[in-house]
Amino acid sequence: MSNTVPPVKNMNAAAKTAALSAVERLSTEPTSLIQYSSRGRAAVIGGIDAQDFAVRLSGSLSAQVILTQGAVEPGVPAIPLGNRPIRIEGYLGNFNIVLGEEGRPNCESLQVDMILDLSEVPLLAMPLKPPGYLTSIAEEPYLSEVEQALKDLVGTFEKPKYFSYDAAICAHGRSGIAGCSMCIDACPAEAISSLIESVEVDPHLCQGGGVCASVCPTGAIRYVYPTVADTLRTLRTLLNSYAGAGGSNAVVAFVAEAETDRLESVPDNLLVVVVEELASTGMDVWLSALSYGADTVLLVDAGAMPDSVAGFIRLQIDTAGSILQGLGYLHNAIRIVDPESLALNCETASPLHLQKVASFAGSTEKRRTLLQAIDHLYQQSNTARELIPLPVQSPFGRIVVDANACTLCMGCTSVCPSKALSAGNEIPKLEFYEINCVQCGICAAACPEHAIKLEPRLVADAEQRRAMAVLHQEEPFCCTRCGKAFATRSIIDNMTKKLAGHHMFQSERAIKRLMMCEDCRVIDVVQDQDAMRTA
């Protein structure tokens, strides 16, 4: 039996070495740093076990017990919780614990640097706890391990700032109307809160999960460690170098840095890209990887992703799969896998058969990068559909307007955060630019006539996607006194119907006044003695 290694395998191994060497020469744009300062003041929450543990702490640590059950032992600094509620806010070096209801005589507050929660069910339920908030089973060897962990949290620490935020393009809300909340819903650290018109990200609570940036439809939240531009430069260099050295059937696998030890021997055609967190990559990166020449994109998850995060990532994968299928490619060219199935997934990867790989660089504008990848894949396909239905919560689509209900009040145009809607100039009409629509739903929520519905979809052809569409149009209604156009017939009819029972609009003259422009209406009221007496 021959022991000769197949030529393709040899070629792929050499090509992979060349590709990895090329990537090593790349630099990464730095980000700013977030600082924590801890003096060792610890709160230990629990019952008798908490008191026993507290007496063990000494040196750089000082402990205050919040006793959830049992009696206070002599010599232990403890505050009985009783039946009071407890609220915990903050992070390493800056925790605030409130016992009881603020404003009540029994309310107490405690400022500490770190917290050890020995409760059977942690008081903070978010999947990613704040830095400095530790949990443990109240038995050895776990207690010894957590004691050392607390000691290691004394001092000054720095971490990268993982995100940037542009409120100007955020679709969270307009004029008090709620829109997209995907970043808030997806964040496993509960680091993002609503400011009604925009959102706020607490950089001390953010732990770089990155799912917020992946699900953001506008790119208002961007992952910056590394930036998307850096990640795409790495991918482009990796895939170009691999192909240039004769490699074939390239498979890109994104792996979280903390899980790289789960990767043992990997196939020669598998190109591993290590990221801070798996969820920090999204559709813009995945589809770009395919357009750069990867046959398949794998997200390697060994179970570390919180369930809520995994759910949002699967939504992104479903949307990307629908786009790929509509463009004539395999639906599952992007998928989540476990480390043990990497070899099998590399063997079963199917080439996309692109005649030409993409060369575009990454952009700070998420939608621009995403659409560049989509446009390239569309241009390389002979079987693409022109209209591709997408799942709910996808970042592309159109709005459908009920012409019988719409009065062209233009309330939707004033609240659209992405400039997808605009009003006509001379003629009353509602104009729509599908390329800008992010399906946030603010327009539908703002419509007083409930005339708007969302339809997630993708127009595959870029020129058609950019084209302006008229959703509804009417002839202008002219003032019956001066002849100036000031409204539409449907607005006048709707206003007349709604004011039919109003005491100020019972006379024929008052009804006709509704058909005048604002200036003529004022003049007519002054000339109408009955109206002046009523006023």
Side-chain angles (χ1 to χ4, degrees):
M1 181 181 294
S2 174
N3 292 324
T4 303
V5 179
V8 172
K9 186 174 181 179
N10 277 336
M11 186 72 75
N12 286 347
K16 182 175 182 176
T17 300
L20 295 176
S21 177
V23 167
E24 286 178 357
R25 295 191 289 270
L26 299 178
S27 60
T28 300
E29 181 181 339
T31 184
S32 57
L33 298 174
I34 304 300
Q35 190 173 84
Y36 301 89
S37 182
S38 167
R39 292 178 290 167
R41 301 169 301 167
V44 183
I45 303 173
I48 302 300
D49 294 323
Q51 295 187 97
D52 293 342
F53 180 81
V55 300
R56 296 169 51 168
L57 302 182
S58 60
S60 61
L61 298 175
S62 59
Q64 173 72 65
V65 175
I66 298 176
L67 194 62
T68 57
Q69 58 183 358
V72 176
E73 295 181 356
V76 179
I79 302 174
L81 179 60
N83 294 320
R84 294 177 294 177
I86 180 171
R87 188 176 80 250
I88 300 173
E89 298 174 339
Y91 44 82
L92 178 65
N94 189 33
F95 279 108
N96 184 45
I97 304 174
V98 178
L99 310 177
E101 298 179 21
E102 292 189 70
R104 295 289 184 89
N106 67 345
C107 181
E108 297 179 73
S109 63
L110 182 66
Q111 283 72 47
V112 296
D113 296 308
M114 58 193 79
I115 296 173
L116 172 60
D117 189 350
L118 295 177
S119 307
E120 289 187 12
V121 177
L123 297 179
L124 294 185
M126 70 279 285
L128 287 184
K129 308 295 189 283
Y133 180 95
L134 308 181
T135 62
S136 177
I137 299 173
E139 59 185 48
E140 295 294 354
Y142 306 104
L143 290 177
S144 294
E145 293 173 358
V146 80
E147 181 180 355
Q148 184 59 50
L150 290 171
K151 291 177 181 178
D152 292 341
L153 290 176
V154 179
T156 300
F157 308 91
E158 291 180 334
K159 73 168 184 179
K161 183 180 179 183
Y162 294 100
F163 69 92
S164 67
Y165 173 63
D166 183 359
I169 60 173
C170 179
H172 179 59
R174 286 293 187 278
S175 302
I177 300 171
C180 174
S181 63
M182 292 184 72
C183 63
I184 296 175
D185 298 336
C187 179
E190 297 185 8
I192 309 176
S193 56
S194 173
L195 297 179
I196 308 301
E197 300 286 307
S198 59
V199 302
E200 181 178 52
V201 186
D202 189 327
H204 291 92
L205 293 179
C206 173
Q207 297 180 53
V211 67
C212 57
S214 297
V215 301
C216 179
T218 64
I221 293 184
R222 292 187 292 117
Y223 200 78
V224 296
Y225 188 69
T227 65
V228 171
D230 282 338
T231 300
L232 294 190
R233 184 168 63 252
T234 296
L235 284 169
R236 197 168 64 251
T237 302
L238 192 67
L239 288 162
N240 284 348
S241 300
Y242 179 80
S248 59
N249 303 113
V251 175
V252 168
F254 291 99
V255 184
E257 186 172 11
E259 295 192 342
T260 53
D261 59 348
R262 297 291 301 272
L263 304 184
E264 298 178 355
S265 59
V266 297
D268 292 328
N269 65 324
L270 181 70
L271 305 176
V272 175
V273 178
V274 179
V275 292
E276 182 79 11
E277 296 289 345
L278 194 58
S280 65
T281 63
M283 279 199 297
D284 51 342
V285 173
W286 307 333
L287 291 175
S288 292
L290 293 176
S291 69
Y292 290 152
D295 287 347
T296 301
V297 171
L298 303 177
L299 307 180
V300 185
D301 178 32
M305 270 199 302
D307 291 342
S308 59
V309 172
F312 279 98
I313 293 301
R314 288 192 181 94
L315 172 62
Q316 293 283 297
I317 290 175
D318 286 346
T319 301
S322 296
I323 291 172
L324 287 170
Q325 189 172 36
L327 293 176
Y329 304 103
L330 289 177
H331 181 278
N332 67 341
I334 302 168
R335 53 188 183 268
I336 297 177
V337 300
D338 56 60
E340 290 73 24
S341 63
L342 276 177
L344 178 61
N345 276 275
C346 288
E347 290 175 5
T348 58
S350 298
L352 271 65
H353 298 297
L354 302 184
Q355 297 178 9
K356 180 182 178 181
V357 298
S359 60
F360 62 83
S363 167
T364 57
E365 299 176 29
K366 176 179 180 177
R367 287 177 71 84
R368 179 182 176 185
T369 298
L370 181 53
L371 289 172
Q372 282 179 313
I374 290 172
D375 290 343
H376 182 82
L377 293 172
Y378 171 71
Q379 293 162 7
Q380 301 299 307
S381 173
N382 296 321
T383 57
R385 298 170 57 182
E386 294 301 321
L387 293 178
I388 304 172
L390 298 179
V392 175
Q393 292 187 302
S394 296
F396 301 111
R398 68 169 180 168
I399 65 171
V400 180
V401 174
D402 183 349
N404 294 322
C406 176
T407 62
L408 290 175
C409 69
M410 300 303 171
C412 55
T413 64
S414 64
V415 298
C416 178
S418 58
K419 299 180 180 179
L421 290 166
S422 63
N425 295 321
E426 300 289 330
I427 300 175
K429 61 180 177 179
L430 181 61
E431 298 175 344
F432 178 65
Y433 296 86
E434 188 157 345
I435 190 172
N436 293 336
C437 182
V438 298
Q439 296 285 286
C440 66
I442 295 177
C443 59
C447 179
E449 310 304 332
H450 307 291
I452 296 176
K453 292 183 179 179
L454 305 180
E455 183 183 323
R457 70 175 196 177
L458 176 68
V459 177
D461 181 76
E463 187 173 344
Q464 293 182 38
R465 196 188 310 129
R466 295 190 191 97
M468 184 270 289
V470 176
L471 300 182
H472 185 43
Q473 177 176 324
E474 290 187 29
E475 290 299 318
F477 186 90
C478 298
C479 174
T480 55
R481 183 165 182 159
C482 71
K484 180 178 71 174
F486 73 99
T488 64
R489 166 57 69 180
S490 58
I491 286 179
I492 298 302
D493 290 344
N494 193 48
M495 186 165 53
T496 303
K497 185 186 300 181
K498 288 184 176 180
L499 294 175
H502 197 282
H503 70 279
M504 294 183 64
F505 295 93
Q506 297 304 304
S507 68
E508 183 177 351
R509 182 169 183 173
I511 295 292
K512 289 183 177 180
R513 195 177 297 127
L514 296 175
M515 302 178 186
M516 301 177 187
C517 67
E518 184 177 354
D519 294 336
C520 292
R521 199 176 301 151
V522 172
I523 294 171
D524 191 69
V525 167
V526 174
Q527 295 174 348
D528 186 351
Q529 295 183 0
D530 291 338
M532 294 300 292
R533 281 196 296 270
T534 303

